[in-house]
Amino acid sequence: MTVSAATLGVALSAPLFGALTERMARKRVIVISLLGVSLPTLLAATSTSLVQLIFWRFLQGIMVPGIIAVVVTYIGEEWPPDRVALIMSIYVSGTALGGFTGRVSSGILADHFNWRVSFLVLGTAALAGAAAVAAWLPPGRRPATITKSATKSGSLPAVIYHMQGLFRSRRLVATFAVGFNVLFSLVGVFTWITFHLSAAPFLLSTTALSSLFFVYLIGLVVTPAAGFLITKVGLRAGIAGAICCSMAGVLLTLAPSLPVVILGLTMLSSGVFISQTASQSHLRVAAPPGARVTAAGLYLTCYYLGGTAAGVVPGAFWALGKWPACVGFIVAMQAVALAIALVGWQTPKAV
C-alpha cells in the first residue's frame, strides 16, 4: 500500500500537473517540485500509523510529475534535436542510479538504525537536490508559443479540452502505449520472477533476490552509449532494437541456469532504459511546442499505470502456468508495443 500510494499519486497528478504548469518557467517548477517531494518525505518519518505513512507517500507521488515531466520537456527544449536522445539517455541513467542508490541506502539505514532514519536521509537528499538545481540549472528559454497556444485560460475545463487534443495525435498515442509497456515489462518481470527464483531449483534467499537489482548498474553504461547510437540510426530503429533486446532478455529467464537468468535480467533492464530514452525523446518531436509538458505528464501517467498493472495482471498467468506463462504474456505485450512503435512513430509524409 505504501508503494502503490506513491505511484497512484503520480498517475493521478501527472496530466493535470503538466497542463497547469505549461506556462510556468521550467526551472521554477522543478525546484518547487523537489521541495514538494522532500517535505512529505521528511514528514513520513514522523508517522505514528500506517494510514499517516500512506498519506505522506501519496503526497510524494503527487509532486513527482513536476520533476520528471518538466525535466523531460526541459531537455527537449534546451538541446538541439540531434542531441536530445543522448542527453535523455544520460538523464535516464541518472534515474536508474538514483533508484538503485535509494533502494540500497534505505535498506542499509533501516537495518542499522530504523525506517524513520531512511526517510530523514532521503528527504534531506531531496532538499540538497533542490538546492543544487536552484544553483546550477540554467533558467532555460521561455517558449514563446506557450502563452498563446497552450490554453486560453488556466481553468480545468480548458486543460481537459487541451489534453483531449493530444489524444488525437497518432504519434503521441503510440508513445503513451510504448511508455505503458516500458514499466510494465520491468515491474512485471522483477516482481514475478522472485517467486520463480525462490522455488526449486534456484531456492534464492530474500537477500539474494534483492541483489538482482544490481543489474540496473549495467544500464548506467549501456544507456548513454545506446543514446549516442540512437542519434545516428533514428528513434524508430532505436526503439525497435531496445524492445527486441528486452524480449530476448525475458526469454533467457526461462533457462535453468542462474547466470543465464541474470544475463536475461540485464538485457531486459538495459532494453527498458533504452526504450525509455527513445520514448521520451520522441515526445519532443511528437508533441506540439505549446503542450510538451502536458504530453510528458500524460506519458508519465501511462508509464506508471503500466507499472501498477504489472504488479497484478501477470498474477493470472502465474496461476495458469507459473513463470513460463508469465514470460509468454510479457513477451506478447512487448511484441505489441514493438508493432505500435514501428507503425505509430512513422514521420508523417509531407503533403
Side-chain angles (χ1 to χ4, degrees):
M1 291 177 68
T2 58
V3 174
S4 297
T7 56
L8 179 63
V10 175
L12 291 177
S13 70
L16 293 178
F17 204 112
L20 294 174
T21 60
E22 190 75 68
R23 292 173 291 176
M24 297 176 63
R26 310 304 191 208
K27 177 179 178 179
R28 180 182 303 173
V29 176
I30 295 170
V31 173
I32 292 174
S33 299
L34 280 167
L35 292 173
V37 168
S38 63
L39 293 179
T41 304
L42 292 170
L43 289 171
T46 68
S47 301
T48 57
S49 68
L50 180 60
V51 173
Q52 289 182 13
L53 182 59
I54 291 172
F55 173 74
W56 294 124
R57 291 283 290 156
F58 179 73
L59 287 188
Q60 281 181 304
I62 289 289
M63 298 303 298
V64 165
I67 305 169
I68 303 177
V70 181
V71 167
V72 169
T73 305
Y74 180 91
I75 292 173
E77 292 174 347
E78 298 302 317
W79 273 269
D82 60 347
R83 290 183 60 82
V84 167
L86 175 61
I87 303 302
M88 199 71 75
S89 69
I90 297 172
Y91 163 70
V92 171
S93 293
T95 64
L97 177 61
F100 171 79
T101 304
R103 292 174 189 274
V104 173
S105 62
S106 59
I108 293 174
L109 289 169
D111 280 342
H112 286 78
F113 301 98
N114 58 61
W115 64 270
R116 298 180 190 275
V117 174
S118 297
F119 278 104
L120 289 174
V121 171
L122 292 174
T124 302
L127 283 175
V133 170
W136 298 333
L137 187 69
R141 297 184 295 271
R142 182 178 177 84
T145 56
I146 283 179
T147 56
K148 293 183 179 181
S149 63
T151 54
K152 292 183 178 180
S153 69
S155 64
L156 185 59
V159 168
I160 294 175
Y161 179 79
H162 188 53
M163 289 190 291
Q164 288 177 342
L166 296 179
F167 278 104
R168 298 189 185 100
S169 167
R170 169 180 56 83
R171 300 175 74 187
L172 280 177
V173 171
T175 306
F176 298 156
V178 172
F180 179 95
N181 182 76
V182 166
L183 197 58
F184 183 93
S185 301
L186 189 67
V187 174
V189 169
F190 275 88
T191 297
W192 294 95
I193 199 172
T194 56
F195 297 100
H196 174 60
L197 295 180
S198 63
F202 301 102
L203 299 174
L204 296 188
S205 65
T206 302
T207 300
L209 291 172
S210 299
S211 67
L212 293 175
F213 286 100
F214 274 94
V215 300
Y216 277 25
L217 298 180
I218 305 298
L220 300 181
V221 179
V222 173
T223 305
F228 176 78
L229 182 61
I230 289 174
T231 62
K232 304 298 182 183
V233 302
L235 293 173
R236 288 180 74 232
I239 191 67
I243 294 177
C244 287
C245 177
S246 294
M247 293 172 68
V250 177
L251 291 172
L252 284 178
T253 63
L254 292 172
S257 168
L258 184 59
V260 176
V261 172
I262 293 174
L263 173 62
L265 293 176
T266 303
M267 293 176 63
L268 162 73
S269 57
S270 297
V272 164
F273 295 149
I274 298 168
S275 296
Q276 188 176 358
T277 297
S279 297
Q280 293 179 343
S281 299
H282 189 258
L283 282 174
R284 183 196 181 280
V285 297
R292 285 174 178 156
V293 180
T294 308
L298 290 171
Y299 172 86
L300 201 59
T301 293
C302 295
Y303 179 80
Y304 275 95
L305 286 176
T308 302
V312 179
V313 178
F317 291 86
W318 177 270
L320 290 175
K322 302 298 182 182
W323 181 239
C326 290
V327 167
F329 173 63
I330 293 172
V331 170
M333 287 285 291
Q334 292 175 316
V336 170
L338 175 59
I340 290 174
L342 291 177
V343 174
W345 285 21
Q346 295 183 64
T347 304
K349 296 181 180 180
V351 179

